[in-house]
Amino acid sequence: MCVRSFFTTHPNPVVLLHGLGANQNEDLNYLEAYLQSQSYCTFSLTYGAFPQYPEVGGLRFINESAPQVASFIQEVHTNTGATKIDIVGHSEGAFHSLYVPKFNGISGIVDKIVAIAPPTHGTTFGGIYAPFYLLGNLTIGLADEILNTVGCPACGDLVTGGAAVQRLNDGTPIVQSGNTLTVIASKDDELVTPTTTAFVNEAGVSNMYVQETCPLDPVGHIGEAYDANVWNLVVNALNTTPKRAFACSFGSPGKL
């Protein structure tokens, strides 16, 4: 949603990128509504879906989804007339928030990036190789059908040593000039494992665990998209107010 008056308070539109197996109406939908309530202009899309399963996003190879994400961000930039765009992603969407500015020619229009639980350096998926349906509202039967029909190319891209992970970590900086990155992770994440794989160890990057601010928060990987403490940390990053205090909540762990 984009209300023109929002630009007075927050001049950068925010593009939200869902996790693997989810879509624009599921995963970051509650965070998007929260940002809208805080007068942010937000946009989202379902990326990386196969034609047979249009509501199940993020399945395609990363290098197939990335141009779609980049095109959408460019479209938001053009249609809103904003100077810069901010990106907030969760899980695979967080990986795209790092990958797309680096490789798809949009870094010049990006300002702040907030990556929630990205498998930056690859993940063991907590020992589960086909977890994509866990981020969506899919039945096991549908997940099996999708696996048997189109597979999950993105799963192989994001495991430790996966092709997209290797490309992102090619020895050149992940964060591009003019972009500011905040990585938010949970010590109790059970899918992006080990949890330190999320962090980007480059100058100027803010890497944080939710529990450093809210020690009693038991949030897991899926729950990070729905956790009010995470939402507040996202707002702090978007507002460039990292020390802003807020009352911590104790929500659902959001674990498998």
Side-chain angles (χ1 to χ4, degrees), residues 6-73:
F6 285 4
F7 285 111
T8 302
T9 307
H10 303 297
N12 292 356
V14 180
V15 171
L16 293 104
L17 302 175
H18 62 76
L20 201 157
N23 58 54
Q24 69 184 97
N25 299 312
E26 184 179 32
D27 186 31
L28 289 182
N29 52 314
Y30 287 101
L31 171 56
E32 182 167 18
Y34 178 72
L35 291 177
Q36 291 170 4
S37 77
Q38 302 299 305
S39 297
Y40 285 90
C41 175
T42 69
F43 297 86
S44 57
L45 80 158
T46 300
Y47 66 85
F50 286 99
Q52 304 96 309
Y53 306 101
E55 296 302 314
V56 184
L59 300 183
R60 290 181 176 273
F61 286 114
I62 296 297
N63 64 4
E64 294 179 1
S65 297
Q68 182 185 5
V69 173
S71 178
F72 183 77
I73 292 171

Side-chain angles (χ1 to χ4, degrees), residues 194-233:
T195 59
T196 53
T197 192
F199 294 144
V200 175
N201 299 310
E202 296 177 8
V205 175
S206 178
N207 294 301
M208 65 181 69
Y209 281 117
V210 179
Q211 290 80 11
E212 292 170 357
T213 302
C214 298
L216 300 181
D217 191 338
V219 66
H221 186 78
I222 297 172
E224 287 169 89
Y226 303 96
D227 186 88
N229 299 324
V230 173
W231 298 353
N232 273 286
L233 293 173

Side-chain angles (χ1 to χ4, degrees), residues 21-158:
N23 58 54
Q24 69 184 97
N25 299 312
E26 184 179 32
D27 186 31
L28 289 182
N29 52 314
Y30 287 101
L31 171 56
E32 182 167 18
Y34 178 72
L35 291 177
Q36 291 170 4
S37 77
Q38 302 299 305
S39 297
Y40 285 90
C41 175
T42 69
F43 297 86
S44 57
L45 80 158
T46 300
Y47 66 85
F50 286 99
Q52 304 96 309
Y53 306 101
E55 296 302 314
V56 184
L59 300 183
R60 290 181 176 273
F61 286 114
I62 296 297
N63 64 4
E64 294 179 1
S65 297
Q68 182 185 5
V69 173
S71 178
F72 183 77
I73 292 171
Q74 183 66 64
E75 180 181 329
V76 170
H77 178 256
T78 300
N79 290 345
T80 61
T83 302
K84 295 282 187 175
I85 303 294
D86 293 337
I87 307 173
V88 177
H90 174 230
S91 193
E92 182 189 352
F95 187 91
H96 272 295
S97 77
L98 308 176
Y99 188 96
V100 172
K102 180 171 180 175
F103 296 115
N104 292 88
I106 62 159
S107 63
I109 63 173
V110 173
D111 184 7
K112 292 179 284 291
I113 298 168
V114 187
I116 306 168
T120 307
H121 302 285
T123 175
T124 64
F125 279 131
I128 306 171
Y129 183 71
F132 67 93
Y133 62 90
L134 299 172
L135 291 182
N137 189 25
L138 302 184
T139 66
I140 297 298
L142 178 56
D144 287 342
E145 178 185 334
I146 292 171
L147 277 177
N148 292 334
T149 305
V150 298
C152 180
C155 294
D157 261 348
L158 296 174

